Structure formats: structure tokens, C-alpha cells
Short mmCIF file of all heavy atoms in Angstrom, two decimals:
data_model
loop_
_atom_site.label_atom_id
_atom_site.label_comp_id
_atom_site.label_asym_id
_atom_site.label_seq_id
_atom_site.Cartn_x
_atom_site.Cartn_y
_atom_site.Cartn_z
N MET A 2 -11.96 -19.63 -8.87
CA MET A 2 -12.00 -18.72 -10.03
C MET A 2 -11.90 -17.27 -9.54
O MET A 2 -12.68 -16.84 -8.70
CB MET A 2 -13.31 -18.94 -10.80
CG MET A 2 -13.37 -18.21 -12.12
SD MET A 2 -12.26 -18.88 -13.35
CE MET A 2 -12.52 -17.75 -14.70
N LYS A 3 -10.93 -16.55 -10.06
CA LYS A 3 -10.75 -15.16 -9.63
C LYS A 3 -11.71 -14.25 -10.37
O LYS A 3 -11.98 -14.45 -11.55
CB LYS A 3 -9.31 -14.74 -9.91
CG LYS A 3 -8.31 -15.46 -9.04
CD LYS A 3 -6.91 -15.02 -9.40
CE LYS A 3 -5.91 -15.95 -8.78
NZ LYS A 3 -4.77 -16.16 -9.64
N HIS A 4 -12.20 -13.26 -9.65
CA HIS A 4 -13.12 -12.29 -10.26
C HIS A 4 -12.35 -11.03 -10.64
O HIS A 4 -11.77 -10.38 -9.78
CB HIS A 4 -14.23 -11.94 -9.27
CG HIS A 4 -15.24 -11.02 -9.84
ND1 HIS A 4 -16.15 -11.42 -10.80
CD2 HIS A 4 -15.45 -9.70 -9.64
CE1 HIS A 4 -16.91 -10.39 -11.13
NE2 HIS A 4 -16.50 -9.34 -10.45
N PRO A 5 -12.32 -10.70 -11.94
CA PRO A 5 -11.56 -9.51 -12.36
C PRO A 5 -12.17 -8.22 -11.85
O PRO A 5 -13.38 -8.02 -11.96
CB PRO A 5 -11.60 -9.57 -13.89
CG PRO A 5 -12.72 -10.47 -14.24
CD PRO A 5 -12.94 -11.39 -13.08
N ASN A 6 -11.36 -7.36 -11.28
CA ASN A 6 -11.79 -6.02 -10.90
C ASN A 6 -11.51 -5.11 -12.09
O ASN A 6 -10.35 -4.76 -12.36
CB ASN A 6 -11.01 -5.56 -9.66
CG ASN A 6 -11.43 -4.19 -9.20
OD1 ASN A 6 -12.07 -3.44 -9.95
ND2 ASN A 6 -11.07 -3.85 -7.98
N LYS A 7 -12.57 -4.73 -12.81
CA LYS A 7 -12.42 -3.97 -14.05
C LYS A 7 -11.88 -2.56 -13.82
O LYS A 7 -11.61 -1.84 -14.76
CB LYS A 7 -13.76 -3.91 -14.80
CG LYS A 7 -14.24 -5.28 -15.28
CD LYS A 7 -13.40 -5.79 -16.42
CE LYS A 7 -13.78 -7.16 -16.95
NZ LYS A 7 -15.05 -7.25 -17.66
N SER A 8 -11.74 -2.18 -12.57
CA SER A 8 -11.16 -0.86 -12.26
C SER A 8 -9.65 -0.93 -12.14
O SER A 8 -9.00 0.10 -12.03
CB SER A 8 -11.75 -0.32 -10.95
OG SER A 8 -13.12 -0.12 -11.07
N ILE A 9 -9.09 -2.16 -12.09
CA ILE A 9 -7.65 -2.30 -11.93
C ILE A 9 -7.07 -3.15 -13.05
O ILE A 9 -7.10 -4.38 -13.00
CB ILE A 9 -7.28 -2.93 -10.56
CG1 ILE A 9 -7.95 -2.16 -9.42
CG2 ILE A 9 -5.76 -2.94 -10.38
CD1 ILE A 9 -7.72 -2.79 -8.04
N GLN A 10 -6.60 -2.50 -14.11
CA GLN A 10 -5.93 -3.21 -15.19
C GLN A 10 -4.52 -3.55 -14.76
O GLN A 10 -3.84 -2.73 -14.14
CB GLN A 10 -5.90 -2.34 -16.45
CG GLN A 10 -7.26 -2.02 -17.01
CD GLN A 10 -7.15 -1.21 -18.29
OE1 GLN A 10 -6.46 -1.60 -19.22
NE2 GLN A 10 -7.82 -0.08 -18.31
N CYS A 11 -4.07 -4.75 -15.12
CA CYS A 11 -2.73 -5.17 -14.74
C CYS A 11 -2.23 -6.24 -15.70
O CYS A 11 -2.99 -7.12 -16.11
CB CYS A 11 -2.72 -5.70 -13.30
SG CYS A 11 -1.08 -6.24 -12.79
N SER A 12 -0.97 -6.17 -16.07
CA SER A 12 -0.39 -7.14 -17.01
C SER A 12 0.66 -8.02 -16.35
O SER A 12 1.39 -8.73 -17.03
CB SER A 12 0.21 -6.39 -18.21
OG SER A 12 1.22 -5.50 -17.77
N VAL A 13 0.74 -7.98 -15.04
CA VAL A 13 1.75 -8.76 -14.32
C VAL A 13 1.22 -10.19 -14.09
O VAL A 13 0.66 -10.50 -13.03
CB VAL A 13 2.14 -8.09 -12.99
CG1 VAL A 13 3.30 -8.84 -12.33
CG2 VAL A 13 2.53 -6.64 -13.22
N GLU A 14 1.39 -11.03 -15.08
CA GLU A 14 0.83 -12.39 -15.02
C GLU A 14 1.48 -13.25 -13.95
O GLU A 14 0.92 -14.27 -13.54
CB GLU A 14 0.98 -13.07 -16.39
CG GLU A 14 0.18 -12.37 -17.48
CD GLU A 14 0.33 -13.05 -18.83
OE1 GLU A 14 0.93 -14.13 -18.89
OE2 GLU A 14 -0.13 -12.46 -19.82
N GLN A 15 2.65 -12.86 -13.49
CA GLN A 15 3.35 -13.64 -12.46
C GLN A 15 2.79 -13.42 -11.07
O GLN A 15 3.17 -14.11 -10.13
CB GLN A 15 4.84 -13.26 -12.48
CG GLN A 15 5.59 -13.67 -13.73
CD GLN A 15 5.37 -12.70 -14.90
OE1 GLN A 15 4.69 -11.67 -14.76
NE2 GLN A 15 5.90 -13.03 -16.05
N CYS A 16 1.90 -12.48 -10.92
CA CYS A 16 1.33 -12.20 -9.61
C CYS A 16 0.20 -13.17 -9.28
O CYS A 16 -0.59 -13.54 -10.15
CB CYS A 16 0.80 -10.76 -9.57
SG CYS A 16 0.07 -10.34 -7.98
N ALA A 17 0.10 -13.57 -8.02
CA ALA A 17 -0.93 -14.51 -7.57
C ALA A 17 -2.33 -13.93 -7.74
O ALA A 17 -3.31 -14.68 -7.83
CB ALA A 17 -0.69 -14.86 -6.12
N TYR A 18 -2.47 -12.61 -7.79
CA TYR A 18 -3.78 -11.98 -7.88
C TYR A 18 -4.19 -11.63 -9.30
O TYR A 18 -5.28 -11.14 -9.54
CB TYR A 18 -3.82 -10.72 -7.01
CG TYR A 18 -3.52 -11.00 -5.58
CD1 TYR A 18 -2.39 -10.46 -4.96
CD2 TYR A 18 -4.35 -11.82 -4.83
CE1 TYR A 18 -2.10 -10.73 -3.65
CE2 TYR A 18 -4.07 -12.10 -3.49
CZ TYR A 18 -2.94 -11.55 -2.91
OH TYR A 18 -2.66 -11.82 -1.59
N HIS A 19 -3.32 -11.91 -10.28
CA HIS A 19 -3.64 -11.62 -11.68
C HIS A 19 -4.70 -12.60 -12.17
O HIS A 19 -4.74 -13.76 -11.75
CB HIS A 19 -2.37 -11.72 -12.53
CG HIS A 19 -2.57 -11.23 -13.93
ND1 HIS A 19 -2.91 -12.07 -14.97
CD2 HIS A 19 -2.46 -9.99 -14.46
CE1 HIS A 19 -3.01 -11.36 -16.08
NE2 HIS A 19 -2.74 -10.10 -15.80
N CYS A 20 -5.57 -12.14 -13.08
CA CYS A 20 -6.69 -12.97 -13.52
C CYS A 20 -6.36 -13.90 -14.68
O CYS A 20 -7.27 -14.56 -15.20
CB CYS A 20 -7.87 -12.09 -13.88
SG CYS A 20 -8.76 -11.56 -12.40
N GLY A 21 -5.14 -13.95 -15.12
CA GLY A 21 -4.77 -14.92 -16.14
C GLY A 21 -5.10 -14.47 -17.54
O GLY A 21 -4.38 -13.67 -18.13
N ASP A 22 -6.23 -14.98 -18.10
CA ASP A 22 -6.58 -14.69 -19.49
C ASP A 22 -6.91 -13.22 -19.72
O ASP A 22 -6.69 -12.68 -20.80
CB ASP A 22 -7.77 -15.53 -19.94
CG ASP A 22 -7.37 -16.98 -20.12
OD1 ASP A 22 -6.15 -17.25 -20.14
OD2 ASP A 22 -8.27 -17.82 -20.22
N CYS A 23 -7.50 -12.57 -18.72
CA CYS A 23 -7.83 -11.15 -18.87
C CYS A 23 -6.84 -10.35 -18.02
O CYS A 23 -6.41 -10.79 -16.96
CB CYS A 23 -9.26 -10.86 -18.45
SG CYS A 23 -9.65 -11.29 -16.77
N ASN A 24 -6.49 -9.19 -18.51
CA ASN A 24 -5.46 -8.39 -17.85
C ASN A 24 -6.03 -7.48 -16.77
O ASN A 24 -6.03 -6.25 -16.90
CB ASN A 24 -4.67 -7.58 -18.88
CG ASN A 24 -3.49 -8.38 -19.41
OD1 ASN A 24 -3.06 -9.36 -18.80
ND2 ASN A 24 -2.97 -7.97 -20.55
N TYR A 25 -6.57 -8.12 -15.73
CA TYR A 25 -7.09 -7.37 -14.58
C TYR A 25 -6.59 -8.01 -13.30
O TYR A 25 -6.25 -9.19 -13.25
CB TYR A 25 -8.62 -7.37 -14.58
CG TYR A 25 -9.23 -6.59 -15.70
CD1 TYR A 25 -9.74 -7.22 -16.81
CD2 TYR A 25 -9.27 -5.19 -15.64
CE1 TYR A 25 -10.31 -6.50 -17.86
CE2 TYR A 25 -9.82 -4.46 -16.67
CZ TYR A 25 -10.35 -5.11 -17.78
OH TYR A 25 -10.89 -4.39 -18.80
N CYS A 26 -6.61 -7.20 -12.25
CA CYS A 26 -6.32 -7.68 -10.91
C CYS A 26 -7.61 -8.23 -10.29
O CYS A 26 -8.70 -7.78 -10.62
CB CYS A 26 -5.79 -6.50 -10.08
SG CYS A 26 -5.37 -6.93 -8.39
N SER A 27 -7.49 -9.17 -9.40
CA SER A 27 -8.67 -9.75 -8.75
C SER A 27 -8.93 -9.17 -7.36
O SER A 27 -9.93 -9.51 -6.72
CB SER A 27 -8.52 -11.27 -8.64
OG SER A 27 -7.40 -11.59 -7.85
N LEU A 28 -8.07 -8.30 -6.89
CA LEU A 28 -8.26 -7.70 -5.57
C LEU A 28 -9.27 -6.55 -5.65
O LEU A 28 -9.47 -5.96 -6.71
CB LEU A 28 -6.93 -7.15 -5.04
CG LEU A 28 -5.84 -8.19 -4.75
CD1 LEU A 28 -4.56 -7.49 -4.33
CD2 LEU A 28 -6.29 -9.18 -3.70
N ASP A 29 -9.90 -6.23 -4.52
CA ASP A 29 -10.83 -5.09 -4.46
C ASP A 29 -10.07 -3.77 -4.51
O ASP A 29 -10.56 -2.77 -5.02
CB ASP A 29 -11.65 -5.14 -3.17
CG ASP A 29 -12.63 -6.28 -3.17
OD1 ASP A 29 -12.97 -6.76 -4.28
OD2 ASP A 29 -13.02 -6.72 -2.08
N THR A 30 -8.87 -3.78 -3.94
CA THR A 30 -8.05 -2.58 -3.90
C THR A 30 -6.59 -2.99 -3.88
O THR A 30 -6.26 -4.10 -3.45
CB THR A 30 -8.40 -1.74 -2.65
OG1 THR A 30 -7.61 -0.56 -2.63
CG2 THR A 30 -8.13 -2.52 -1.37
N VAL A 31 -5.71 -2.14 -4.37
CA VAL A 31 -4.28 -2.42 -4.33
C VAL A 31 -3.54 -1.22 -3.75
O VAL A 31 -4.02 -0.09 -3.80
CB VAL A 31 -3.70 -2.75 -5.73
CG1 VAL A 31 -4.23 -4.07 -6.24
CG2 VAL A 31 -3.95 -1.65 -6.72
N GLN A 32 -2.37 -1.52 -3.21
CA GLN A 32 -1.52 -0.47 -2.63
C GLN A 32 -0.39 -0.20 -3.61
O GLN A 32 0.33 -1.12 -4.01
CB GLN A 32 -0.95 -0.97 -1.31
CG GLN A 32 0.04 -0.04 -0.66
CD GLN A 32 -0.65 1.11 0.05
OE1 GLN A 32 -1.69 0.94 0.67
NE2 GLN A 32 -0.07 2.28 -0.03
N ILE A 33 -0.24 1.06 -4.00
CA ILE A 33 0.84 1.46 -4.90
C ILE A 33 1.86 2.27 -4.13
O ILE A 33 1.50 3.10 -3.29
CB ILE A 33 0.30 2.30 -6.09
CG1 ILE A 33 -0.84 1.57 -6.81
CG2 ILE A 33 1.42 2.65 -7.06
CD1 ILE A 33 -0.47 0.22 -7.37
N GLY A 34 3.12 2.03 -4.41
CA GLY A 34 4.18 2.77 -3.74
C GLY A 34 5.36 2.97 -4.66
O GLY A 34 5.25 2.80 -5.87
N THR A 35 6.49 3.32 -4.08
CA THR A 35 7.69 3.54 -4.88
C THR A 35 8.91 3.03 -4.13
O THR A 35 8.92 2.98 -2.90
CB THR A 35 7.88 5.03 -5.21
OG1 THR A 35 9.04 5.18 -6.02
CG2 THR A 35 8.03 5.87 -3.96
N HIS A 36 9.92 2.64 -4.90
CA HIS A 36 11.19 2.20 -4.31
C HIS A 36 12.23 3.30 -4.44
O HIS A 36 13.40 3.08 -4.13
CB HIS A 36 11.67 0.91 -4.99
CG HIS A 36 11.75 1.04 -6.48
ND1 HIS A 36 10.68 0.78 -7.31
CD2 HIS A 36 12.76 1.43 -7.28
CE1 HIS A 36 11.05 1.00 -8.57
NE2 HIS A 36 12.29 1.40 -8.58
N GLU A 37 11.82 4.45 -4.96
CA GLU A 37 12.75 5.56 -5.17
C GLU A 37 12.51 6.65 -4.12
O GLU A 37 11.40 6.79 -3.60
CB GLU A 37 12.52 6.19 -6.56
CG GLU A 37 12.62 5.22 -7.72
CD GLU A 37 14.05 4.92 -8.10
OE1 GLU A 37 14.96 5.62 -7.61
OE2 GLU A 37 14.25 4.00 -8.89
N SER A 38 13.55 7.42 -3.83
CA SER A 38 13.37 8.53 -2.90
C SER A 38 12.73 9.73 -3.58
O SER A 38 12.07 10.55 -2.93
CB SER A 38 14.72 8.94 -2.30
OG SER A 38 15.63 9.23 -3.34
N ASN A 39 12.91 9.82 -4.91
CA ASN A 39 12.32 10.92 -5.66
C ASN A 39 11.81 10.40 -7.00
O ASN A 39 12.45 10.61 -8.03
CB ASN A 39 13.36 12.03 -5.86
CG ASN A 39 12.78 13.26 -6.51
OD1 ASN A 39 11.57 13.49 -6.45
ND2 ASN A 39 13.62 14.03 -7.18
N PRO A 40 10.66 9.70 -7.03
CA PRO A 40 10.18 9.07 -8.26
C PRO A 40 9.93 10.08 -9.37
O PRO A 40 9.36 11.15 -9.14
CB PRO A 40 8.87 8.40 -7.82
CG PRO A 40 8.53 8.99 -6.51
CD PRO A 40 9.78 9.47 -5.89
N SER A 41 10.40 9.75 -10.60
CA SER A 41 10.30 10.70 -11.71
C SER A 41 9.68 10.09 -12.96
O SER A 41 9.40 10.81 -13.92
CB SER A 41 11.70 11.23 -12.05
OG SER A 41 12.55 10.14 -12.35
N GLN A 42 9.45 8.79 -12.98
CA GLN A 42 8.83 8.17 -14.14
C GLN A 42 8.09 6.90 -13.71
O GLN A 42 8.22 6.46 -12.58
CB GLN A 42 9.88 7.85 -15.21
CG GLN A 42 11.05 7.03 -14.70
CD GLN A 42 12.12 6.86 -15.75
OE1 GLN A 42 11.86 6.94 -16.94
NE2 GLN A 42 13.36 6.64 -15.31
N GLU A 43 7.28 6.35 -14.62
CA GLU A 43 6.40 5.24 -14.22
C GLU A 43 7.16 4.04 -13.69
O GLU A 43 6.66 3.31 -12.84
CB GLU A 43 5.51 4.84 -15.41
CG GLU A 43 6.31 4.29 -16.59
CD GLU A 43 5.49 4.20 -17.86
OE1 GLU A 43 5.20 5.26 -18.43
OE2 GLU A 43 5.15 3.10 -18.27
N GLN A 44 8.38 3.83 -14.18
CA GLN A 44 9.16 2.68 -13.72
C GLN A 44 9.54 2.78 -12.25
O GLN A 44 10.01 1.81 -11.66
CB GLN A 44 10.45 2.53 -14.55
CG GLN A 44 10.21 2.08 -15.97
CD GLN A 44 10.05 3.25 -16.92
OE1 GLN A 44 9.63 4.33 -16.53
NE2 GLN A 44 10.37 3.03 -18.19
N CYS A 45 9.37 3.95 -11.68
CA CYS A 45 9.73 4.15 -10.27
C CYS A 45 8.63 3.68 -9.33
O CYS A 45 8.84 3.61 -8.12
CB CYS A 45 9.99 5.63 -10.01
SG CYS A 45 11.34 6.31 -10.98
N THR A 46 7.46 3.36 -9.86
CA THR A 46 6.35 2.99 -9.00
C THR A 46 6.15 1.47 -8.99
O THR A 46 6.49 0.78 -9.94
CB THR A 46 5.05 3.67 -9.44
OG1 THR A 46 4.75 3.27 -10.77
CG2 THR A 46 5.20 5.18 -9.40
N ASP A 47 5.59 0.97 -7.91
CA ASP A 47 5.42 -0.47 -7.73
C ASP A 47 4.03 -0.77 -7.17
O ASP A 47 3.48 0.02 -6.40
CB ASP A 47 6.42 -1.01 -6.71
CG ASP A 47 7.84 -0.65 -7.06
OD1 ASP A 47 8.33 -1.13 -8.07
OD2 ASP A 47 8.45 0.14 -6.30
N CYS A 48 3.52 -1.96 -7.53
CA CYS A 48 2.33 -2.46 -6.85
C CYS A 48 2.81 -3.21 -5.62
O CYS A 48 3.42 -4.28 -5.72
CB CYS A 48 1.54 -3.38 -7.77
SG CYS A 48 0.12 -4.06 -6.92
N LEU A 49 2.50 -2.67 -4.46
CA LEU A 49 2.95 -3.28 -3.20
C LEU A 49 2.05 -4.43 -2.77
O LEU A 49 2.34 -5.13 -1.80
CB LEU A 49 3.02 -2.22 -2.11
CG LEU A 49 3.95 -1.04 -2.41
CD1 LEU A 49 3.93 -0.04 -1.27
CD2 LEU A 49 5.36 -1.51 -2.70
N SER A 50 0.97 -4.66 -3.51
CA SER A 50 0.09 -5.80 -3.23
C SER A 50 0.54 -7.05 -3.99
O SER A 50 -0.03 -8.12 -3.81
CB SER A 50 -1.35 -5.46 -3.63
OG SER A 50 -1.79 -4.33 -2.91
N PHE A 51 1.54 -6.90 -4.82
CA PHE A 51 2.07 -8.03 -5.61
C PHE A 51 2.43 -9.20 -4.69
O PHE A 51 3.00 -9.03 -3.62
CB PHE A 51 3.31 -7.58 -6.37
CG PHE A 51 4.05 -8.71 -7.04
CD1 PHE A 51 3.67 -9.15 -8.29
CD2 PHE A 51 5.11 -9.34 -6.40
CE1 PHE A 51 4.35 -10.20 -8.92
CE2 PHE A 51 5.79 -10.39 -7.01
CZ PHE A 51 5.40 -10.82 -8.27
N ASP A 52 2.06 -10.39 -5.13
CA ASP A 52 2.46 -11.59 -4.39
C ASP A 52 2.89 -12.63 -5.43
O ASP A 52 2.13 -12.93 -6.36
CB ASP A 52 1.28 -12.11 -3.57
CG ASP A 52 1.76 -12.79 -2.30
OD1 ASP A 52 2.90 -13.27 -2.27
OD2 ASP A 52 0.95 -12.86 -1.35
N ALA A 53 4.08 -13.14 -5.28
CA ALA A 53 4.62 -14.08 -6.26
C ALA A 53 3.80 -15.36 -6.29
O ALA A 53 3.45 -15.91 -5.25
CB ALA A 53 6.07 -14.40 -5.91
N ARG A 54 3.48 -15.82 -7.48
CA ARG A 54 2.65 -17.01 -7.66
C ARG A 54 3.26 -18.25 -7.04
O ARG A 54 2.57 -19.15 -6.64
CB ARG A 54 2.48 -17.27 -9.15
CG ARG A 54 1.16 -16.86 -9.69
CD ARG A 54 1.02 -17.47 -11.06
NE ARG A 54 -0.03 -16.79 -11.79
CZ ARG A 54 -0.23 -16.97 -13.07
NH1 ARG A 54 0.55 -17.76 -13.77
NH2 ARG A 54 -1.20 -16.33 -13.69
N THR A 55 4.58 -18.30 -6.99
CA THR A 55 5.26 -19.51 -6.54
C THR A 55 5.00 -19.80 -5.07
O THR A 55 5.24 -20.90 -4.61
CB THR A 55 6.78 -19.38 -6.76
OG1 THR A 55 7.20 -18.13 -6.23
CG2 THR A 55 7.12 -19.44 -8.23
N ARG A 56 4.49 -18.82 -4.34
CA ARG A 56 4.20 -19.05 -2.93
C ARG A 56 2.96 -19.88 -2.75
O ARG A 56 2.67 -20.38 -1.69
CB ARG A 56 4.00 -17.71 -2.21
CG ARG A 56 5.30 -17.04 -1.84
CD ARG A 56 5.03 -15.97 -0.81
NE ARG A 56 5.74 -14.77 -1.15
CZ ARG A 56 5.47 -13.60 -0.61
NH1 ARG A 56 4.51 -13.48 0.25
NH2 ARG A 56 6.18 -12.55 -0.94
N TYR A 57 2.12 -19.97 -3.80
CA TYR A 57 0.83 -20.67 -3.67
C TYR A 57 0.90 -22.06 -4.26
O TYR A 57 1.70 -22.33 -5.12
CB TYR A 57 -0.25 -19.85 -4.37
CG TYR A 57 -0.53 -18.55 -3.65
CD1 TYR A 57 0.30 -17.45 -3.86
CD2 TYR A 57 -1.57 -18.46 -2.74
CE1 TYR A 57 0.08 -16.27 -3.16
CE2 TYR A 57 -1.79 -17.29 -2.06
CZ TYR A 57 -0.98 -16.19 -2.27
OH TYR A 57 -1.20 -15.03 -1.59
S1 LIG B 104 -1.78 -7.21 -6.88
FE1 LIG B 104 -0.78 -5.67 -8.18
S2 LIG B 104 0.64 -6.80 -9.48
FE2 LIG B 104 -0.80 -8.26 -8.59
S3 LIG B 104 -2.42 -8.50 -10.13
FE3 LIG B 104 -3.06 -6.92 -8.68
S4 LIG B 104 -2.39 -4.99 -9.59
FE4 LIG B 104 -1.25 -6.62 -10.60
#
């Protein structure tokens, strides 16, 4: 059973660390980054702690 970290809201249900019924991450901390050279809007940022559920 994953423990939701109430400090990290997340709606990415496909991630292995997502808590399922509640929209929180189960990790203690996450790494955020960007895939852009000059990020200008929220879509430019990524959760680098994401792990695809299919690996588990
Ligand atoms: S690791 Fe990132 S994408 Fe995955 S549940 Fe946590 S915050 Fe969401």
C-alpha cells in the first residue's frame, strides 16, 4: 500500500509512484526538470522521478 505524500499532488495515474484513488505521489521527494532549452510555460517542465507502471 502506497503512502500518499500530501505535499506532492500529482494526477499522472500511469506512474508507478502514483497513489491511485488519491491524486498524490508516494515518494518523499521528486526531481523536477525540463526538456526545453528555454522553458516558458508549465508544459515545458517534467517530473524526472516518473517511472512507467508497465515496468513493475
Ligand atoms: S514520481 Fe512524479 S509523476 Fe510519478 S507520481 Fe510522483 S510526482 Fe507524479
Side-chain angles (χ1 to χ4, degrees):
M2 188 70 183
K3 292 178 193 144
H4 183 72
N6 181 343
K7 295 289 179 69
S8 297
I9 307 176
Q10 296 183 53
C11 180
S12 60
V13 186
E14 296 180 8
Q15 293 80 3
C16 179
Y18 301 117
H19 189 267
C20 280
D22 288 347
C23 59
N24 272 341
Y25 292 102
C26 180
S27 61
L28 295 176
D29 291 338
T30 181
V31 292
Q32 175 79 38
I33 307 301
T35 182
H36 54 272
E37 304 280 349
S38 55
N39 185 23
S41 57
Q42 54 186 336
E43 64 193 72
Q44 290 91 333
C45 299
T46 60
D47 306 294
C48 178
L49 301 180
S50 301
F51 172 85
D52 211 335
R54 257 194 198 169
T55 49
R56 279 196 225 164
Y57 292 82

